[in-house]
Structures are given as C-alpha cells and as structure tokens.
Amino acid sequence: MSTPKSRPKRKPAKRKRPDYTVGPIPDDAFGAAGDPLPPKGPEAPAISLNQRFSYLVSNPDLYTAADSLPAKSRTGRPAHYPPVVYLIFLSSISIFDSARYTAVNLQDSIWWNQVRDALRSHIGDEAADTLPAVGPSRSQWNYYFQKHLKPAFATIRDISRDLWIQQALDSGMMAESGNRVSRAYPERQQVVHADATVARPASSQRQHEVADKVTGEIRRHRVDPDAGISVEGGGNRVYGNKFLAMAVRLADTPHSRIVLSIESIRHKSRARDPHRDDEGTAFVKMVKHLLTKAPDLRAITYDTALRGVHRAPLIAAGLVAFTTQHSGLSPESLTLFQEGPCNHKLYVAEGRVCERLIDLKTGKDHYAPLPVEELACRKGKKATRYYHRITIPCPVKTHSEHIRVDETEEDRQTDPSTGKKRFNRTEHLRQVPPDTPAGRRLKGFRQDSESLHSRFDQRYPHERVPAYGATAALLIYIGYAWLSNSMARAVLRTPAAA
C-alpha cells in the first residue's frame, strides 16, 4: 500500500484589526496589575503500579457500583466470576495498558491474591473462597464486556457518577467551608473544571476494505463505527470519539483530583448522531445534576465551547460560569447612564462594561473599562441575579451603578428586525472578566482538565484507547476514572493529607 500524501498545512487566516481601541484594565475587585502570582503547589509524588492496584481493589465504592452490574443468570453461559471482578478488570486496563496484559497479570498470583483478599474484606469469605485459582482470561473478559458491560453502560455511568460526587463531598469539596471569600475568588475545592477531548480509537482506518494501487490486493481493516473528525482548539482536526469529563480537587494537595462525571457527546451532525447531545448541552445537564447533589458549589470553568446560551442557565442556578472570551465579538451598546447633567454611553467590550469615548487623534472609538467594586449576588425565588457594581469617573462627580451580568427578561425578548434576542448579555458580559488576575486564576484551574485528558491518553500504547465504538471507549474512560478516584481516596485519607 502506497504511503498517503501529506496534506499541506493551512495558513491561519489573518485577523482584521479592529477599528476601535480598548483602554487598560483598571485595578478593581478582580485584582490589580501589581498583585503577586499565586505560589506553585507541591510536586506530585510518583505512585507505583502495585500501589495503584492496591488502592483500586481496596475502594469500597467499587463494590457498591458492582451491585448494579448484571449478576449470574440461569440461562445462557454462566459467569465464572462475580461482577466486581470484571469491574476491577475494566479499571485495571488503565494500569496494564490493555485487556491482553490485564488478563496476563491477573493470571499471576501476585496480583490475583490481592483481588481475593480485597473480596474477602468487602464481600465475605464465601465470595473469596469460591473464586477460581486465577483471574479471568481474555476470552472470558471479552464475552462479559460485550454481553453484559456494554448493554449496561448507562447504569454503570450513572451509579459511578453519584458515587464519585459523594466521594468529593465526603472529602470536603463543593461544600461551604465557612471562610468569607469573594465570589470572584472562590476556593479551589469550590471550582469544578471541565473540558471535552477526542480520544483516538485503536485504529485510524476509516474503510473496511482497501485495495493496493500496485498489486490490487484487498486488505481488510477493523474500523471504529462511531469515530469521526472533530476540530479542536487551534483548528487541529482529530479523528476519534469525543468525551466530556468534569472534576474537582483540593488546593495544594497532589493526587486529590476526583472525576465527577463522564459522558460521550456528539461530534458528528445531528442527523448522523441524534442520540447524543452536543458539547454545551451535555455539560449543562451534567452541572444541573451535580447541583442536585452539591447545592453549595460556587463556580465552574470551561473553554470557549461554552457560549452565552449555555452560561445563562448556569448563572441563573447560582454559579459563577467562567470561560475565556470568544474571539470576534464586537463592542455592544448596553445603556445610556444619566444622572443630572451627566451622560455616559456604556458599552460592553472585552467581557466588561466600558464607557465609549472618541480618540481625538485618530477619530476612532475608544472604550475605557470601568472599575468594578464588587461582584454582587442576589438569590431570588426563581433564579439568582449577579451584578457588577461599577464606578463611572466623571469631572462632575464619580457615579456608581449596578449592572446585571445575568440574562434579564428584556434580553430574552425577540427583536422584530432580526428575529433574535435583543441582547445576548451572557455572551458579551462576563461575571469575571478573563483579562484580570481573578480571571487568569480561574483559567489556570481549567487547565487541570487538560492534565486529566492528557494522562488518560498516555495510559495506553500510542495514545489510543484499546476499544472500538463510543460506548466501549466510554467504559474504558470510566475505568480510568475509578482508578484515579481510588488513588485520590487513599491519598486523602493518609495522615499527611489530613
């Protein structure tokens, strides 16, 4: 088979320079330019494979989740092992790189005896004594994975999600600590970070049969039925299945990250994949379910894939929904502030309220960012309201005004000339402007999602998930999350972490 020709790299499109200028960011409630950078956290110590496996099999939540798996049936081929063994097998793939080597290692008494001892501690002597002498073979695993785990993937996903959320709450995350902190600077354990990633399948082949151009030989390949092309940040085109994960962690505590939820999301057209939600819709659903379990959560961070239509319901639910500013947004007129003889034209630019002025040298519009004295929150019966308490410098006197940063009833009204909402406030105006010390701090929290996805990819040879299909790959990711959360449980319960 001839080597495929490499595609020429696309040159990035030249951005048109704006015909306006924006003034410097003032020192206000979101920080000052001279504020010191936050100190770096401690380096995470290495954890051996044997210790990771010990943490995994000792996790009591794993046995609770196994109760939801299909038990032995009177009809069909009987299962040789209890369901928890197969859940341990699934999670161990992220330790041993593949199902093949997981089966090989569980045939060894060094690893299998740890499973037997763990079952004896969590289930009882009878369950441990009835186990076979060695662990499941690869054929036994493949049969159970195809016939039992994949059909029950939704149940496994949901019960795992609820157990993970409870683990985070038990560890002191997403709960009120009693410290009086600004909503612009929430505590680290009060911020959930999330992101989507495209997991590369076991094979990049896209055609089941390929003919050699020289010999005419037909070569057959296995193709992932759900994989497709997705465009990531920077315009990179990636082939694979797309997943969304959100997590939370403690400040200055290595290995404390707890994955809260994982979902497979749509990366094709709605017509080709109608059963999955798009990225923003899926994330909103995940956060709303999280709030039913953790009502004291303060903030979430995401990338530019989250738009104003997605942030609006999260802000109404009481959260600080932080994302970086989407490029290409022009300044929008907000209101005309009038007090006595003073008139000030207020606009929204760069995610914050600005006063529109005229540059006398160039004649261009100049937008001067106004200082924000407070990010205020008012909880109502139906929704939570957020305000920027701004000050407007003026030769006559310094004015003060409260500006809503959540979606209002007037914003939702339809403009008859365009057929769209009058003002997409949550798209243009941010609770925490990105280009501020407070915004950069929250952006740094979101980078932890990149670390989560990166570590997941690096767990497998050639950074390819050892499974075909979105459902199978989602189960592999769930197994990896069980391993990661088991490590967090063990580390947080050590005297040093406490």
Side-chain angles (χ1 to χ4, degrees):
M1 185 176 178
S2 60
T3 305
K5 296 181 180 180
S6 58
R7 295 181 178 179
K9 294 184 178 180
R10 294 182 177 180
K11 294 183 179 180
K14 294 184 179 179
R15 295 183 179 178
K16 183 180 179 180
R17 292 186 177 181
D19 56 353
Y20 59 89
T21 58
V22 180
I25 304 300
D27 297 342
D28 55 9
F30 301 120
D35 290 346
L37 296 175
K40 292 184 177 181
E43 183 178 355
I47 300 178
S48 66
L49 296 184
N50 184 62
Q51 198 66 46
R52 293 170 187 259
F53 188 78
S54 176
Y55 292 158
L56 174 66
V57 299
S58 301
N59 189 348
D61 287 344
L62 197 68
Y63 299 86
T64 303
D67 294 337
S68 63
L69 297 181
K72 293 183 179 181
S73 175
R74 295 182 179 179
T75 60
R77 183 177 176 181
H80 296 80
Y81 301 86
V84 67
V85 172
Y86 293 103
L87 193 55
I88 291 174
F89 193 109
L90 173 68
S91 305
S92 299
I93 293 176
S94 298
I95 298 177
F96 303 117
D97 299 339
S98 66
R100 180 191 297 272
Y101 286 104
T102 301
V104 169
N105 282 283
L106 291 184
Q107 301 286 316
D108 193 325
S109 60
I110 295 178
W111 303 98
W112 184 241
N113 285 342
Q114 294 188 51
V115 178
R116 189 187 299 273
D117 294 341
L119 261 69
R120 191 180 302 278
S121 300
H122 293 89
I123 300 180
D125 294 337
E126 182 179 355
D129 293 337
T130 56
L131 287 176
V134 295
S137 64
R138 191 183 177 199
S139 62
Q140 291 171 330
W141 159 252
N142 287 337
Y143 180 85
Y144 193 88
F145 185 73
Q146 297 293 334
K147 298 296 183 180
H148 298 285
L149 287 183
K150 287 179 68 175
F153 85 95
T155 302
I156 299 172
R157 176 199 60 199
D158 294 344
I159 189 65
S160 299
R161 172 195 61 195
D162 292 341
L163 289 170
W164 297 339
I165 293 174
Q166 188 58 47
Q167 177 186 343
L169 292 173
D170 294 341
S171 301
M173 306 179 194
M174 303 185 295
E176 291 288 352
S177 63
N179 298 329
R180 292 181 59 87
V181 295
S182 168
R183 288 188 175 269
Y185 287 87
E187 296 176 286
R188 185 65 184 88
Q189 64 270 17
Q190 281 281 5
V191 182
V192 167
H193 54 270
D195 193 18
T197 185
V198 179
R200 300 170 64 189
S203 172
S204 293
Q205 295 292 337
R206 305 179 193 180
Q207 298 180 359
H208 292 278
E209 293 184 353
V210 178
D212 192 289
K213 294 182 179 180
V214 178
T215 64
E217 178 186 1
I218 301 298
R219 296 186 178 182
R220 293 175 174 81
H221 303 283
R222 190 173 180 184
V223 179
D224 192 300
D226 300 321
I229 296 292
S230 298
V231 180
E232 291 188 329
N236 299 324
R237 294 166 62 87
V238 185
Y239 179 73
N241 294 295
K242 199 168 187 179
F243 301 99
L244 172 62
M246 62 182 187
V248 66
R249 69 179 310 157
L250 294 175
D252 302 326
T253 308
H255 299 297
S256 64
R257 180 173 56 212
I258 296 178
V259 181
L260 300 173
S261 183
I262 302 174
E263 184 59 278
S264 175
I265 57 179
R266 184 172 60 240
H267 55 277
K268 302 178 182 179
S269 65
R270 187 181 300 271
R272 294 181 60 189
D273 190 4
H275 304 293
R276 294 185 180 89
D277 292 321
D278 61 83
E279 185 175 342
T281 302
F283 179 68
V284 172
K285 288 183 178 180
M286 291 167 66
V287 174
K288 285 187 175 181
H289 177 80
L290 176 62
L291 289 174
T292 62
K293 306 289 184 179
D296 294 329
L297 180 66
R298 283 292 185 93
I300 56 99
T301 62
Y302 210 83
D303 59 13
T304 54
L306 209 66
R307 305 304 296 265
V309 67
H310 307 123
R311 284 191 294 270
L314 301 180
I315 296 173
L319 295 176
V320 173
F322 175 82
T323 65
T324 53
Q325 188 74 355
H326 201 277
S327 60
L329 293 179
S330 301
E332 290 284 336
S333 175
L334 182 62
T335 186
L336 176 62
F337 177 82
Q338 295 178 321
E339 186 176 358
C342 303
N343 295 324
H344 299 271
K345 296 179 180 179
L346 302 186
Y347 277 66
V348 178
E350 303 295 335
R352 61 186 301 150
V353 181
C354 303
E355 183 179 5
R356 181 188 176 188
L357 306 172
I358 301 297
D359 191 334
L360 298 180
K361 293 183 178 180
T362 62
K364 293 183 178 180
D365 291 336
H366 177 77
Y367 297 94
L370 299 178
V372 179
E373 301 301 327
E374 180 189 11
L375 173 62
C377 176
R378 303 289 185 269
K379 291 186 178 181
K381 295 181 179 180
K382 295 183 179 181
T384 301
R385 296 183 178 185
Y386 279 88
Y387 298 84
H388 280 177
R389 183 165 60 84
I390 63 173
T391 57
I392 306 174
C394 179
V396 177
K397 72 170 188 176
T398 300
H399 308 284
S400 180
E401 178 72 347
H402 284 76
I403 301 295
R404 290 274 296 273
V405 291
D406 61 288
E407 191 176 60
T408 67
E409 288 293 339
E410 294 181 355
D411 297 337
R412 301 187 189 98
Q413 294 178 3
T414 303
D415 188 343
S417 61
T418 61
K420 299 180 181 180
K421 293 192 302 184
R422 289 188 178 276
F423 182 46
N424 194 348
R425 186 180 297 262
T426 52
E427 178 71 12
H428 295 271
L429 185 57
R430 302 302 175 87
Q431 295 164 289
V432 179
D435 195 16
T436 58
R440 288 189 286 270
R441 174 177 178 266
L442 291 175
K443 182 180 179 180
F445 292 169
R446 197 208 68 82
Q447 299 303 319
D448 200 58
S449 295
E450 302 288 351
S451 172
L452 171 64
H453 294 319
S454 177
R455 299 300 296 174
F456 171 70
D457 293 335
Q458 295 171 6
R459 284 308 313 149
Y460 313 106
H462 310 292
E463 297 186 357
R464 295 185 178 275
V465 179
Y468 286 89
T471 298
L474 177 64
L475 286 170
I476 297 294
Y477 208 149
I478 290 175
Y480 171 79
W482 271 113
L483 174 63
S484 178
N485 291 353
S486 298
M487 293 166 50
R489 171 183 286 272
V491 169
L492 293 177
R493 294 194 174 189
T494 59

